[in-house]
Structures are given as structure tokens and as C-alpha cells.
Amino acid sequence: MQQTKRRVIALVDCNSFYVSCERLFRPDLKRAPVVVLSNNDGCIISRSTEAKQAGIKMGEPLFKAKYLIDKYKVKVFSSNYELYGDLSRRVMKVLKNFSPDIEFYSIDEAFLDLTNIQIDNIEAYIKNIREVILRWIGIPVSIGAASTKTLAKVANHVAKKSQKGVEEFISKDQSYVDEVLKTFPVREIWGIGKQLSKFFINNNFHNAFQLKSVDNSWVRKNSSVVVLKTIHELNNICCFPLNFSYTARKNCIVSRSFGEKIIEINDLKEAVVNHCITAAERIRSEGLIVKSVYVFIKTNKFKDGYTSLVKKIDLPIATNNTLELVNVCSKAVDSIYVKGLSYSKAGVLFGELEVKDNYEKNLFSHLNQNLDYLMKVIDDTNVKFGRGTVSVAAARINNNYKMKRSHSSKIDTSFLKFVPIVKTG
DNA sequence: TCTGGGGTCCTAGGACCC
DNA sequence: TCTGGGGTCCTAGGACCC
């Protein structure tokens, strides 16, 4: 009888990705503690090993980490998503050479299906991937290989802590894997977050090994189907298949916290309109149209009296036209605005997105042809001459809600002046 | 003083229907 | 006295991820 081939899934994860991107252009910071901040310079979202060792926590607000940053002379960067996106694309392109079956999981992670690739030595193979990425792009990665995504994640954690930077469970005995799982806290398991780990610890499941032998019906009764799948995956049963094809997204959110608190309705409207314009541009560039629009404004969630006001609008005809959408969003602000509150965040969510070409042509669609053309002209102009060259009047910029970004490296890979200079002997 | 943004999926509960 | 029950659909909110 022919045995089914065991799956081989490798998870490639860039180490401290945003920090690594900044370091590419600042080789002097190679061994220095470095952190990268979220939008508005709010929280720490990427840390170098040295910064982790200094005790700086993931997701910590900058002001809370100030003491450690000063003490250890940590270098701080605002985020530069254009740069990270560019380097991400380069890493992914190289990875594709090692397996055409690749799932681009996030900006700094990809799953490679190596099942059908002729490999004699799995560790040597993933080690080579690691070396090529480092040599060609300059980004350090860790790679874990196993028979399921969840186990590949575990292997990747091990890889991150090892000198080799790679770890594989494929050629190892189950007893070896079990020993690893015994040291692996439930909280670290992919899919087990803060709440679930609390629940499992309360029920005396502390590590991945304990969790993988839990009674299935008990899990199903007391938790969700996703958790059950996760547990199957720890037992080498594949429940999360790789997704190789591009699937259109279902939602598009654009939101920002304000640099300074906002009280006036016109300032709120201006922010919402600008987010609406950005979201409309995004969905147009992906060939999507929106059926339901949510507009939300919020006060500071860390203060008493936190208020979140939301308005949902179902559009009679799905669209991606900025002018229509701006109108809808602006009216939505009117309908939810409460005077006297101090707002700290606003945003729009486009839901029920659909691929435009698939959307059934309706009786009125021909009316939009001129507007479609207008949108195309505006988008093309903005690509050519820079964002916001052509916009709608309601989006006047008075900078009231502009983002804080005071530590930016301003690296732009499309400018020659940022190309690093190498001096040879 | 200062606390990110953008996604997905699941579930509980309400409304409604037969 | 006794107040069905099951199915579907929708939505808000929660939990998770990076």
C-alpha cells in the first residue's frame, strides 16, 4: 500500500523585521538596541534582540519605555511602511525560487510548501534559504519546518532562539518534538491568545504537550472550533491548509488616532473624509467596490467615559466612487457627532467588498461610466504627481490631525541617494 | 502630557418565520 | 396552571493574528 506523503511546511519569518529594515541603511546600528514605533509614534512594535534584552516590551507605549530607552541609549525609529513593504516584496520574490507553493502570510512571514520538492536533507535546505535571503537582501530570517502550520510555528520559535536560525521536526522522532512541546507555554501557541491561555492555565494545561492530549469533546464544548483545529495540528493533523492564491479582501479599514484631541465637528469630518478618500483609492486599485460603509469616531479608550460612536450605511448600489462615498461619510459624521466630547480617533470601514467585474450589472450602472472615468483620471494624476494632487474640497488639509512621525529615517528606496556606499579594501 | 493600524473568523443572541 | 421549537439570517462584539 502506498503511504500518503507527509507534508513539509516551512515557516520563514524575518527577525525583528522593521528593525532589520532600518539597520540595512544604518550598519552602524548592527549590535545596538533599536526599536521601531507604531503610527503616531505611539507604541513599540519592533525590537532588536538588544532592545528585548534591555527589558523593552512588545506593544508598550513609548512614554512608558522612556526610562529604559534613555538608560540603554536605544535608537528609536518612526515606522516607514513604504520601505518595509518594498523589502518585504524582495524577500518574498527570493523565497518563491525555493518553492512555487507559497503563502504570503504577512509582511514578514511566508509559509512554503516543500512537500513536492526533492530534498535530501531538510535542515540543509532551509539553512540555504536563510543564507540566500541574508546575502541577497540583507534581512536575517528564522525558519521552522514541520508537518503542519502550527508545528512549523513552534519550530520557528525554536529556530529564533538557536544559533543556527533554523529548526525542523520532519526528520526527528516524535519523542524529540514532544520534549520541545513540553517546554512550550500555551500562550506561545499560534491561535492561543491572552484569553484562551488564561482559560487553559486555569484548567491546568500549561504547555503545548499537555494541550495536545486534551479531550476533544471537552474542548469543543468549552471553546471554539478553531482551538480544536489548533490541537489537531499539534498532533500532526493538518487543519489549516496553505492558501496559495490571491483572495480579494473582505474589508478595508482606514483609521488614525489624532496627534491632538479633536472637539469640533468640522475637524472630525475632515479626518473622516480623508480616510474615506484613502480607502476609496485602495479599493479602486484592487478592482473592488463597497456595499456597506461604517464610519466611527471615538474618545480615548484609556480614559473614563470612553465613547465609541458608529454609523453603518448600506449603499443601494455598490460603488468605489470617491465623490459618492465622501458624501455618505460626511453625512454619517453629522448623524453620530456628540457635542462636548474630546475625540481621539476616527475612521471608516468599507465592508462587504466585491470584485467589481463580478458584480452584477444593474440597471443604473451605465450612469456611473463618466464618474468611473473621472476617478481613473484622478488616480492616475495622483500616482504621477504625488498623493493628494487632486482631491475633493472637503479634504482641505489643516494638519489638525496629522500624524506624529518625529523619528523617521526617511529612507526611500526609489531614490538613488539612499543606496548604501560600499568601500572596498 | 503621551497608549497603532489593519485584517480574519467565530459566536451569542435577537429577529423573524413556519 | 401550563407560554413550542427549530431553522435561518443578521449583527455586534470578542478573540486572535501580524
Side-chain angles (χ1 to χ4, degrees):
Chain A
M1 203 177 80
Q2 206 188 347
Q3 227 187 342
T4 13
K5 221 172 177 182
R6 199 179 180 193
R7 276 203 106 90
V8 182
I9 297 169
L11 171 64
V12 182
D13 188 322
C14 301
N15 298 346
S16 315
F17 182 54
Y18 299 166
V19 165
S20 298
C21 292
E22 299 291 349
R23 273 180 169 168
L24 263 187
F25 296 86
R26 289 289 305 272
D28 56 305
L29 297 176
K30 201 172 172 189
R31 302 201 193 290
V34 180
V35 296
V36 174
L37 304 176
S38 64
N39 281 321
N40 255 327
D41 292 347
C43 296
I44 288 152
I45 54 168
S46 183
R47 305 160 297 157
S48 69
T49 312
E50 299 76 12
K52 287 174 195 169
Q53 281 163 358
I56 294 172
K57 294 194 188 68
M58 182 64 179
E60 198 172 25
L62 177 61
F63 71 91
K64 281 191 184 168
K66 197 86 185 69
Y67 169 75
L68 290 172
I69 284 172
D70 291 344
K71 184 175 170 192
Y72 293 100
K73 299 193 169 51
V74 178
K75 174 70 188 164
V76 177
F77 287 96
S78 299
S79 41
N80 180 350
Y81 288 104
E82 289 77 19
L83 174 66
Y84 312 149
D86 182 24
L87 289 164
S88 171
R89 278 187 291 276
R90 296 179 196 212
V91 170
M92 299 301 171
K93 202 173 161 190
V94 175
L95 283 178
K96 235 183 151 180
N97 295 329
F98 290 96
S99 172
D101 300 326
I102 181 168
E103 175 181 335
F104 304 110
Y105 180 66
S106 74
I107 193 164
D108 69 335
E109 273 177 71
F111 289 101
L112 292 178
D113 192 335
L114 304 177
T115 312
N116 297 316
I117 293 181
Q118 187 60 45
I119 300 170
D120 297 329
N121 181 330
I122 179 78
E123 186 177 311
Y125 191 83
I126 57 178
K127 215 163 169 233
N128 181 44
I129 298 179
R130 185 175 190 274
E131 282 160 11
V132 169
I133 298 283
L134 191 60
R135 204 177 325 129
W136 291 7
I137 315 290
I139 297 288
V141 301
S142 301
I143 307 179
S147 58
T148 67
K149 279 180 165 179
T150 306
L151 284 170
K153 276 269 182 188
V154 174
N156 194 282
H157 273 262
V158 177
K160 278 225 153 68
K161 284 177 187 152
S162 84
Q163 282 294 315
K164 292 183 289 187
V166 299
E167 169 73 15
E168 59 92 9
F169 293 160
I170 300 293
S171 69
K172 307 275 172 53
D173 292 338
Q174 187 58 45
S175 58
Y176 173 90
V177 179
D178 284 345
E179 285 308 310
V180 172
L181 296 181
K182 279 177 193 167
T183 65
F184 205 77
V186 279
R187 179 64 184 88
E188 308 273 302
I189 300 168
W190 190 46
I192 307 293
K194 204 174 162 187
Q195 301 304 320
L196 285 168
S197 62
K198 207 187 284 173
F199 169 76
F200 282 116
I201 287 166
N202 285 340
N203 284 280
N204 253 321
F205 298 98
H206 298 273
N207 61 54
F209 181 74
Q210 291 172 326
L211 195 64
K212 84 171 200 172
S213 34
V214 63
D215 178 59
N216 284 352
S217 52
W218 181 83
V219 172
R220 191 60 199 93
K221 208 175 144 198
N222 293 285
S223 185
S224 72
V225 63
V226 183
V227 173
L228 193 59
K229 285 182 177 178
T230 298
I231 290 166
H232 282 322
E233 287 236 323
L234 289 173
N235 285 296
N236 290 310
I237 302 163
C238 189
C239 293
F240 302 124
L242 272 71
N243 181 12
F244 303 136
S245 59
Y246 167 81
T247 36
R249 58 156 134 193
K250 293 164 182 166
N251 298 303
C252 174
I253 303 175
V254 177
S255 71
R256 289 285 178 283
S257 297
F258 305 128
E260 284 167 29
K261 300 287 165 280
I262 282 184
I263 294 167
E264 297 301 324
I265 187 166
N266 284 339
D267 293 334
L268 275 177
K269 255 191 205 177
E270 186 186 326
V272 166
V273 163
N274 276 287
H275 297 335
C276 173
I277 292 168
T278 308
E281 276 171 8
R282 264 182 217 169
I283 65 167
R284 278 202 298 277
S285 74
E286 293 167 31
L288 302 171
I289 46 175
V290 51
K291 280 167 90 176
S292 57
V293 175
Y294 295 77
V295 172
F296 53 88
I297 52 179
K298 299 173 180 211
T299 63
N300 188 337
K301 66 176 171 183
F302 298 98
K303 295 235 168 97
D304 287 344
Y306 167 60
T307 313
S308 173
L309 302 154
V310 188
K311 172 78 178 173
K312 184 192 179 197
I313 307 104
D314 288 309
L315 301 173
I317 300 169
T319 183
N320 59 18
N321 183 279
T322 295
L323 302 176
E324 287 173 29
L325 291 165
V326 160
N327 199 10
V328 163
C329 288
S330 179
K331 281 184 186 147
V333 176
D334 284 326
S335 74
I336 52 176
Y337 174 74
V338 175
K339 209 175 156 93
L341 295 179
S342 175
Y343 297 93
S344 66
K345 183 173 181 171
V348 299
L349 185 156
F350 289 174
E352 292 179 75
L353 297 177
E354 287 199 26
V355 177
K356 188 167 191 245
D357 294 341
N358 297 349
Y359 190 66
E360 259 187 321
K361 292 270 179 252
N362 61 61
L363 283 173
F364 310 100
S365 60
H366 68 280
L367 295 174
N368 292 327
Q369 277 172 11
N370 285 339
L371 283 174
D372 282 355
Y373 183 67
L374 174 63
M375 284 304 115
K376 192 177 166 358
V377 171
I378 290 176
D379 288 342
D380 290 349
T381 308
N382 286 336
V383 166
K384 201 166 173 187
F385 299 103
R387 276 210 74 212
T389 305
V390 181
S391 194
V392 299
R396 77 203 150 84
I397 305 291
N398 68 17
N399 288 334
N400 266 358
Y401 67 96
K402 268 275 140 106
M403 261 206 302
K404 262 190 270 174
R405 217 182 169 199
S406 45
H407 307 276
S408 177
S409 58
K410 299 190 179 70
I411 299 288
D412 185 333
T413 44
S414 60
F415 281 93
L416 199 58
K417 66 173 177 175
F418 290 113
V419 173
I421 294 165
V422 180
K423 291 186 182 117
T424 56

